[in-house]
Amino acid sequence: MQCDMCGATGEIYRAEIEGTELQVCESCASLGRVIGRVEQPEALRRRKARPSPQERPRLPARRNETIQVIVDGYAGIVKAARERIGLKQKELAMRIAEKESLIHNIESGHFEPGIGLARKLERFLKVSLIEDHEETHDGAFSAGGEDVTLGDVIRIKRRG
Ligand SMILES: [Zn+2]
């Protein structure tokens, strides 16, 4: 509740000023004829001035999400499986229509395959390269450790 004339807050009075009834502060009311006082509970005035903490926007609710990630030992798994079926890197590359350098980089651990490529290798080599990873979100991605970061998630999706 504010003074109709000057915008001041505080005690507000109903006053007749120049023939018009207004709700004004004490000093503006003195310019005219006070009719009465406008009752305003203290609590109501305080709530309007300052939003309570409960009214602030909340963080997203905590939720679990399962994403697919490439297993840690993918390099050794691919190499061992390829050698087991007696193929050279170049031969494996030809069979799955990929470049030899790609197979080399995967087996040396320099290139982590995306989900799509990993599935192709899984089918051909009869191995398991993808595992489900349960991610718990509580509003922020944690940094470091073994957690999959947002960057990893984007990378996996782009490659897949
Ligand atoms: Zn006033």
Side-chain angles (χ1 to χ4, degrees):
M1 187 72 72
Q2 291 184 327
C3 169
D4 286 341
M5 291 183 72
C6 72
T9 55
E11 294 289 343
I12 298 294
Y13 298 87
R14 276 166 50 223
E16 191 186 300
I17 300 167
E18 294 175 4
T20 308
E21 190 185 314
L22 297 169
Q23 296 189 344
V24 295
C25 68
E26 192 173 4
S27 64
C28 293
S30 68
L31 300 172
R33 186 171 61 88
V34 176
I35 301 164
R37 196 172 137 185
V38 178
E39 293 295 335
Q40 195 179 16
E42 183 68 22
L44 182 68
R45 200 152 55 197
R46 207 181 282 152
R47 197 193 302 161
K48 278 187 175 170
R50 260 175 266 140
S52 65
Q54 289 81 21
E55 286 172 278
R56 284 199 211 120
R58 286 168 189 236
L59 288 170
R62 195 182 176 90
R63 66 203 167 91
N64 289 336
E65 188 179 314
T66 303
I67 59 168
Q68 293 185 314
V69 296
I70 304 302
V71 297
D72 281 342
Y74 70 89
I77 294 169
V78 171
K79 187 175 179 1
R82 176 181 59 75
E83 288 173 346
R84 196 178 62 231
I85 57 177
L87 291 178
K88 292 185 163 46
Q89 287 184 347
K90 188 180 178 179
E91 291 166 332
L92 171 60
M94 283 172 62
R95 298 287 189 92
I96 63 167
E98 296 290 348
K99 290 192 174 120
E100 182 184 353
S101 60
L102 182 68
I103 303 300
H104 177 79
N105 285 333
I106 290 171
E107 290 190 8
S108 60
H110 290 132
F111 179 76
E112 187 184 291
I115 298 298
L117 178 56
R119 286 210 191 290
K120 196 150 71 168
L121 287 165
E122 280 186 329
R123 278 197 299 268
F124 188 81
L125 298 171
K126 302 202 169 28
V127 293
S128 182
L129 297 172
I130 300 166
E131 65 182 2
D132 288 339
H133 179 94
E134 195 168 276
E135 186 93 338
T136 302
H137 297 293
D138 51 3
F141 282 88
S142 56
E146 290 191 359
D147 287 346
V148 173
T149 64
L150 182 59
D152 288 334
V153 174
I154 291 167
R155 204 150 45 87
I156 289 165
K157 282 183 179 164
R158 281 205 188 123
R159 283 197 202 141

